[in-house]
């Protein structure tokens, strides 16, 4: 029998990673924001055993930036407008675990008020904390590549906790 980690790692490996290059304007100065989290669209069970989405997001964000720093790369800048989309995408993963949305449109159609030139997305789920999700992504070459990519400058993480306790994670990347 496979462990939960192995089962979810296999799902991550086979889910793939999508990077899209689009000719749009560069980020404006007002899109560079400090690290903050908007929890207004993240819901889940009210039990004490369910992890707090804000804590899980911070665990992933901190682990990703620690890795980038160890490689001599600039740390990702948290993007509040992208976080709204990441939260929306994490909830959508509970309906359809895919880089396409439940209506079959591309994941970037969830981006409202977000300008970008390059985008990418990591997705995953499980009964895991943020560090576990980071480690699963790092065990997958395609997911790791997004975390270590020199092209991207901004990120946001969404986490949705389903009623059964499954955490759905999304990390969006852009430049």
């Amino acid at each position: 029998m496979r462990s939960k980690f192995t089962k979810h790692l296999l799902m991550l490996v086979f889910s793939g990673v999508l990077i899209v290059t689009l000719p749009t304007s560069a980020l404006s100065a007002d899109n560079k924001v400090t690290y903050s989290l908007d929890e207004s669209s993240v819901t889940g069970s009210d039990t004490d055993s369910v992890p707090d989405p804000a804590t899980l997001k911070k665990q992933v964000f901190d682990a990703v930036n620690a890795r980038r720093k160890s490689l001599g790369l600039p740390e990702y800048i948290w993007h509040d407008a992208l976080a709204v989309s990441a939260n929306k995408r994490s909830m959508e993963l509970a309906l359809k675990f895919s880089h396409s949305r439940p209506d079959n449109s591309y994941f970037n159609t969830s981006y409202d008020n977000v300008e970008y030139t390059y985008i990418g997305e990591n997705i995953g789920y499980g009964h895991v904390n943020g560090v576990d999700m980071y480690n699963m992504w790092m065990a997958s070459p395609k997911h790791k590549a997004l975390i270590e990519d020199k092209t991207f400058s901004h990120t946001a993480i969404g986490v949705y906790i389903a009623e059964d306790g499954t955490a759905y994670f999304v990390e969006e990347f852009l430049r």
Side-chain angles (χ1 to χ4, degrees):
M1 183 172 153
R2 292 184 176 150
S3 69
K4 286 183 183 179
F5 177 83
T6 304
K7 176 183 166 191
H8 297 300
L9 176 60
L10 291 174
M11 177 56 79
L12 288 170
V13 171
F14 295 117
S15 70
V17 175
L18 181 62
I19 299 175
V20 180
T21 303
L22 299 171
T24 61
S25 61
L27 288 174
S28 61
D30 61 329
N31 279 339
K32 294 183 179 181
V33 296
T34 59
Y35 176 45
S36 64
L37 297 172
D38 175 8
E39 293 304 316
S40 62
S41 63
V42 179
T43 60
S45 174
D46 292 329
T47 65
D48 291 336
S49 64
V50 175
D52 174 45
T55 300
L56 298 177
K57 291 176 190 183
K58 185 170 181 353
Q59 288 173 341
V60 174
F61 184 78
D62 290 348
V64 165
N65 274 337
R67 174 64 179 170
R68 291 181 63 79
K69 188 174 181 177
S70 76
L71 297 173
L73 298 171
E75 294 181 6
Y76 282 127
I77 300 165
W78 183 266
H79 194 291
D80 280 334
L82 189 61
V84 173
S85 298
N87 285 334
K88 187 184 314 180
R89 287 286 299 131
S90 67
M91 288 184 276
E92 290 177 349
L93 290 180
L95 301 172
K96 179 181 180 182
F97 188 78
S98 173
H99 289 290
S100 61
R101 300 182 69 196
D103 66 0
N104 292 320
S105 62
Y106 288 114
F107 69 88
N108 65 306
T109 62
S110 69
Y111 294 4
D112 294 324
N113 302 311
V114 176
E115 296 181 14
Y116 54 87
T117 304
Y118 302 100
I119 57 174
E121 176 180 74
N122 277 347
I123 62 175
Y125 72 95
H127 292 271
V128 298
N129 64 36
V131 174
D132 292 336
M133 183 55 57
Y134 164 80
N135 287 331
M136 286 191 276
W137 283 338
M138 291 302 290
S140 162
K142 289 182 179 182
H143 293 87
K144 179 181 179 181
L146 284 177
I147 290 169
E148 297 178 350
D149 196 291
K150 296 175 184 177
T151 305
F152 301 115
S153 57
H154 291 72
T155 193
I157 298 146
V159 176
Y160 171 72
I161 310 295
E163 287 188 27
D164 68 356
T166 302
Y168 292 88
F169 290 79
V170 174
E171 184 168 15
E172 303 288 352
F173 303 89
L174 66 78
R175 175 176 174 183

